[in-house]
């Protein structure tokens, strides 16, 4: 069973930056697409970005140009570099497998964008 541990969230001012990390256990990591999702207070979880096993990335329109997903298969870790943050980016951020057969959700990491 793959376990996911997200980290790197915090309080940041509008226009600021953060780097989120998601560490995954198990040897399957390098063979699968991974994604970041987020859930804002009172809203449904939404997809943010995807990275395939070979490093191709795709983004939701709301974050395109501001967030960058990457991965390090040697460390079983996927990252989300966040820049030009807006108050509407405030949410709990989770990573998981892209597509069906998702792993159990981790606790996520809270990002709060506020002045």
């Amino acid at each position: 069973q793959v376990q996911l541990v997200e980290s790197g969230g915090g309080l940041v001012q509008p226009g600021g930056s953060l780097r989120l990390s998601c560490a995954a256990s198990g040897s399957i990591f390098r063979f699968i697409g991974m994604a970041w999702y987020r859930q804002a207070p009172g809203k449904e979880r939404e997809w943010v970005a995807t990275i395939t096993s070979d490093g191709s990335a795709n983004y939701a329109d709301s974050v395109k140009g501001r967030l960058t997903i990457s991965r390090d298969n040697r460390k079983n870790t996927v990252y989300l570099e966040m820049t030009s943050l807006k108050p509407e980016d405030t949410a709990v951020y989770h990573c998981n497998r892209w597509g069906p057969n998702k792993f159990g959700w981790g606790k996520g990491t809270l990002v709060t964008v506020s002045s």
Side-chain angles (χ1 to χ4, degrees):
Q1 178 71 9
V2 173
Q3 293 187 329
L4 302 168
V5 179
E6 300 95 346
S7 62
L11 174 63
V12 62
Q13 293 186 341
S17 301
L18 282 174
R19 189 192 196 201
L20 308 184
S21 299
C22 169
S25 63
S27 57
I28 193 176
F29 179 84
R30 70 185 66 186
F31 302 112
I32 61 173
M34 292 292 294
W36 282 96
Y37 302 84
R38 67 185 182 186
Q39 187 167 18
K43 295 188 176 181
E44 296 291 317
R45 182 182 292 136
E46 65 174 352
W47 166 73
V48 174
T50 301
I51 187 164
T52 63
S53 57
D54 62 359
S56 296
N58 198 15
Y59 300 93
D61 288 343
S62 60
V63 306
K64 201 170 293 184
R66 300 187 298 116
L67 275 57
T68 303
I69 189 171
S70 62
R71 65 190 297 161
D72 186 339
N73 288 339
R74 297 168 300 173
K75 297 182 178 180
N76 276 17
T77 300
V78 61
Y79 303 99
L80 188 67
E81 193 78 39
M82 311 173 75
T83 63
S84 302
L85 283 163
K86 305 175 181 180
E88 51 263 44
D89 294 316
T90 295
V92 177
Y93 285 72
H94 296 266
C95 67
N96 211 317
R97 184 176 190 169
W98 173 244
N101 303 315
K102 281 189 171 39
F103 307 127
W105 293 92
K107 294 182 179 181
T109 187
L110 175 63
V111 173
T112 304
V113 185
S114 175
S115 55

